[in-house]
């Protein structure tokens, strides 16, 4: 496959995650009202989906090491398309939750294979630059999600916002079926043997580089998840923004994330992975702390809070590229298993954050601002502590 096709495939395979998490956010208050559900139940459609996404990767990873990336992608994308279409016709919050969980499980195949194929084709340092290009494409997709979601919800209703991801997945499935070539040069026939699988997981979990980069990506994603889970209620319900206005506001955050992925590539060429991550740690700590302080100081308006969110998003763009490539870097023969474990732990962190948010929701913006503050500080501690000690 050409380099451009690899980047396009990465953008779409990684981009299915923000399509799943972001597109329906402008409609989430309407979905909650339609079904007479609580805020905690509404957030469960996001957090439970992400937990299924993380758990499923533990299965998809070894299966892809055994049979290759392409068949796993075809099965996963087909299953996702069906589940996404079915969710649009859910008659209750419980039914919607079930289909969202199935969506998350199928989505695991797409994102896990995207991270693994980078290791199939590239060394860790080159892989970080390539995956940052894919994440730039993801950022473009994410930029479009929220305004499109707002328009669809405003004009056609919330069910269409749930149907749109099925269209995206069907298009990605067509590209994989027609153009994608297998990237795993030597499938492991023993990858699914229980003894082999346990030894592989144990080897991965004992590796300090895996933990450093996985914790980096997880801590940063926990902050983004907090924004995704709470921002529609903060900006639409508490501050009175329209669905379209909220979507445009989130586009600006995604633009900052895009800038972070571009900055990441610039810094990687000049500073290397470790020092780039340390710069990113400073950005996330500054953004999270600024957001918490602004909220405490009474800056309870969209433009009062957004500068801090923009700063956090720039750092997130750095940490996701470096974290996802770095976690699988030491395991060229088990990239699927390493990608799966890293993805599972990242989603476990997001689920933990979502569960915590559900318990502390108090009708104010502080659960969101304090959650991002905590994430920013934790990300910086990992960057300046664990990642700094890694030898690549």
């Amino acid at each position: 496959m050409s380099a451009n096709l690899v980047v396009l495939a990465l953008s779409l395979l990684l981009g299915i995650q923000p399509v799943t998490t972001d597109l329906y956010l402008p409609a989430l208050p309407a979905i909650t009202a339609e079904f007479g559900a609580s805020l905690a139940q509404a957030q469960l459609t996001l957090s439970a989906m992400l937990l299924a996404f993380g758990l499923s990767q533990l299965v998809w990873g070894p299966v892809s090491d055994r049979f290759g990336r392409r068949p796993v992608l075809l099965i996963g994308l087909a299953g996702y398309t069906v589940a996404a279409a079915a969710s649009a016709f859910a008659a209750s919050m419980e039914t919607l939750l079930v289909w969202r969980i199935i969506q998350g499980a199928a989505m695991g195949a797409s994102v896990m294979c995207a991270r693994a194929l980078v290791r199939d084709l590239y060394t860790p340092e080159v892989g970080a630059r390539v995956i940052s290009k894919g994440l730039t494409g993801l950022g473009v997709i994410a930029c479009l999600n929220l305004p499109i979601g707002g328009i669809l919800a405003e004009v056609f209703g919330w069910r269409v916002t749930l149907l749109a991801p099925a269209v995206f997945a069907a298009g990605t499935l067509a590209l994989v079926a027609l153009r994608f070539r297998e990237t795993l040069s030597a499938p492991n026939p023993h990858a699914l043997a229980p003894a082999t699988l346990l030894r592989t997981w144990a080897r991965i979990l004992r590796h300090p580089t895996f933990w450093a980069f996985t914790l980096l990506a997880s801590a940063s994603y926990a902050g983004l998840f907090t924004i995704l889970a709470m921002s529609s209620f903060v900006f639409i319900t508490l501050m009175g923004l329209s669905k379209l206005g909220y979507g445009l506001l989130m586009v600006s955050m995604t633009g900052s994330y895009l800038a972070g992925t571009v900055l990441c590539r610039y810094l990687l060429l000049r500073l290397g992975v470790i020092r780039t991550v340390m710069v990113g740690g400073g950005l996330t700590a500054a953004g999270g702390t600024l957001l918490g302080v602004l909220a405490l100081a009474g800056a309870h308006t969209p433009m009062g809070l957004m500068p801090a969110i923009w700063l956090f998003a720039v750092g997130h763009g750095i940490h996701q590229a470096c974290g996802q490539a770095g976690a699988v870097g030491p395991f060229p023969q088990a990239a699927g298993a390493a990608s799966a474990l890293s993805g599972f732990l990242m989603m476990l962190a997001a689920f933990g954050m979502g569960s915590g948010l559900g318990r502390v929701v108090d009708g104010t913006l502080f659960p969101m601002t304090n959650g991002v503050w905590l994430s920013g500080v934790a990300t910086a501690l990992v960057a300046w502590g664990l990642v700094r000690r890694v030898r690549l």
Side-chain angles (χ1 to χ4, degrees):
M1 294 184 293
S2 69
N4 288 336
L5 179 59
V6 170
V7 171
L8 174 61
L10 274 177
S11 299
L12 294 175
L13 295 174
L14 293 170
I16 200 169
Q17 186 173 350
V19 166
T20 308
T21 57
D22 298 5
L23 192 65
Y24 86 130
L25 289 180
L28 197 53
I31 295 171
T32 306
E34 173 82 13
F35 292 136
S38 65
L39 176 56
Q41 287 176 306
Q43 289 175 343
L44 199 60
T45 64
L46 183 60
S47 58
M49 181 275 297
L50 288 175
L51 181 62
F53 168 54
L55 285 169
S56 73
Q57 293 179 65
L58 296 177
V59 177
W60 293 122
V63 170
S64 75
D65 284 338
R66 171 63 183 88
F67 297 106
R69 317 303 180 202
R70 191 173 187 275
V72 167
L73 284 172
L74 292 173
I75 294 170
L77 287 167
Y80 179 97
T81 302
V82 172
S87 72
F89 299 97
S92 67
M93 185 62 84
E94 291 76 16
T95 305
L96 175 59
L97 180 59
V98 169
W99 284 116
R100 290 282 292 176
I101 289 171
I102 295 172
Q103 260 183 280
M107 181 172 70
S110 176
V111 177
M112 182 284 304
C113 283
R115 291 194 297 261
L117 72 87
V118 170
R119 187 61 188 94
D120 293 340
L121 300 173
Y122 306 104
T123 62
E125 184 124 6
V126 176
R129 295 199 296 270
V130 171
I131 205 168
S132 74
K133 292 180 181 179
L135 290 172
T136 299
L138 175 153
V140 173
I141 293 169
C143 269
L144 298 174
N145 280 332
L146 287 163
I148 289 175
I151 292 170
L152 292 178
E154 202 78 63
V155 178
F156 300 105
W158 62 265
R159 292 188 185 275
V160 176
T161 66
L162 293 176
L163 186 61
V167 177
F168 179 90
T172 306
L173 175 61
L175 176 73
V176 171
L178 296 174
R179 300 292 305 278
F180 187 85
R181 300 293 175 261
E182 182 57 62
T183 61
L184 183 63
S185 58
N188 181 358
H190 306 295
L192 294 176
T196 301
L197 193 54
L198 289 174
R199 282 197 301 271
T200 300
W201 280 346
R203 179 165 59 90
I204 293 168
L205 291 173
R206 285 196 302 265
H207 206 294
T209 300
F210 170 82
W211 278 109
F213 283 106
T214 294
L215 289 175
L216 179 78
S218 298
S220 180
Y221 188 77
L224 178 69
F225 175 84
T226 301
I227 297 170
L228 295 177
M230 294 297 299
S231 59
S232 62
F233 293 96
V234 168
F235 290 122
I236 295 176
T237 305
L238 295 183
M239 298 182 182
L241 276 181
S242 67
K243 296 182 181 69
L244 181 57
Y246 166 73
L248 293 174
L249 197 68
M250 290 296 99
V251 166
S252 69
M253 181 189 76
T254 308
S256 299
Y257 167 79
L258 270 172
T261 64
V262 175
L263 177 62
C264 178
R265 293 198 294 278
Y266 175 85
L267 293 176
L268 283 169
L269 289 172
R270 287 155 181 81
L271 303 179
V273 174
I274 305 302
R275 292 168 67 191
T276 296
V277 167
M278 293 176 67
V279 171
L283 293 171
T284 48
T289 301
L290 180 61
L291 184 64
V293 171
L294 286 171
L296 290 173
H300 296 182
T301 64
M303 293 314 299
L305 300 179
M306 286 308 297
I309 292 176
W310 293 331
L311 190 57
F312 181 91
V314 172
H316 182 69
I318 293 174
H319 294 313
Q320 288 307 297
C322 293
Q324 292 184 32
V328 301
F331 313 103
Q333 305 306 318
S339 172
L341 278 173
S342 179
F344 166 70
L345 292 169
M346 190 160 67
M347 292 308 109
L348 191 62
F351 181 77
M353 182 67 83
S355 299
L357 289 172
R359 288 193 294 269
V360 300
V361 167
D362 58 2
T364 73
L365 78 171
F366 291 109
M368 182 183 81
T369 57
N370 290 339
V372 177
W373 191 354
L374 173 64
S375 168
V377 172
T379 304
L381 291 175
V382 174
W384 299 334
L386 295 178
V387 175
R388 200 175 83 169
R389 297 189 181 96
V390 164
R391 291 184 180 180
L392 295 176

